Amino acid sequence: MTIGLGALLLLSACGGGETAVEANATDAAAPVEAPAEAPVAPVTPPVEASATPASAATGQSLDEFWTRFRTAALANDAAGIAALSAPTVMQHGDLDDSPKHRLTPAQVGPVLKKLLDNPNNVDGEGQTQRQLLEATRTVKVDPNWAKDRIRIGDMEFALGRNGWQLDQIYYEDYD
């Protein structure tokens, strides 16, 4: 097999100098042949995508996630909270125009502790966020919300490719 006219045109179009093209054109090309005994790999059949790749990736149901998150949050387990938090957790203030802060998973634990320890941060029934967390032993997806999001008090959780994670906190620190 020798270098064809198309290859020469490609070389010259790609900036190969005329002398280089002429020199290459005069050199004999080495034959390229596959050995007769070389095995040919069979065609791999296509694999259908999973309908729920996020939950399959972690193997953790919403109930399992909630049990782990609730335990870590009530124990103020910063490492456990970080492991169950999204790569970026948005911290919102009290008002829509309050500044928002991006928290790393390592920053979430201290903010969540302040949220749970604040005696003035109560829900509509007069429960503090800690009391609400203690009372909420199981969670369910609200049919009025997207099926991949839940909200418990001032915390929002999302189902992503890494499973359920805390991804938003509504707490403004006035210190």
Side-chain angles (χ1 to χ4, degrees):
M1 180 176 180
T2 60
I3 297 177
L5 182 59
L8 289 175
L9 291 173
L10 180 62
L11 284 173
S12 65
C14 292
E18 290 300 320
T19 55
V21 172
E22 289 174 15
N24 287 340
T26 59
D27 294 340
V32 178
E33 295 180 20
E37 68 275 354
V40 177
V43 176
T44 305
V47 177
E48 291 185 30
S50 169
T52 56
S55 59
T58 61
Q60 181 173 246
S61 71
L62 176 57
D63 290 335
E64 291 169 326
F65 165 79
W66 181 249
T67 299
R68 289 180 59 208
F69 179 83
R70 182 176 171 273
T71 301
L74 291 174
N76 195 30
D77 175 7
I81 294 167
L84 299 167
S85 297
T88 300
V89 175
M90 292 303 298
Q91 179 184 356
H92 302 267
D94 296 334
L95 304 173
D96 289 340
D97 62 349
S98 295
K100 295 176 178 69
H101 302 281
R102 295 178 188 274
L103 304 175
T104 65
Q107 295 171 314
V108 173
V111 173
L112 189 58
K113 180 179 180 346
K114 289 179 182 178
L115 171 73
L116 296 179
D117 290 345
N118 186 343
N120 299 321
N121 190 3
V122 296
D123 68 0
E125 304 199 8
Q127 290 182 310
T128 66
Q129 295 299 306
R130 178 172 298 281
Q131 290 168 333
L132 177 64
L133 197 60
E134 289 169 345
T136 307
R137 297 193 179 277
T138 61
V139 293
K140 293 183 179 160
V141 175
D142 185 335
N144 297 319
W145 272 47
K147 63 183 176 182
D148 60 349
R149 295 201 65 78
I150 57 171
R151 181 165 180 170
I152 307 296
D154 289 340
M155 300 167 287
E156 278 190 35
F157 305 87
L159 177 61
R161 69 171 197 246
N162 294 323
W164 285 98
Q165 296 178 318
L166 172 68
D167 76 336
Q168 297 191 50
I169 296 176
Y170 294 85
Y171 176 71
E172 194 162 343
D173 191 5
Y174 295 107
D175 295 337

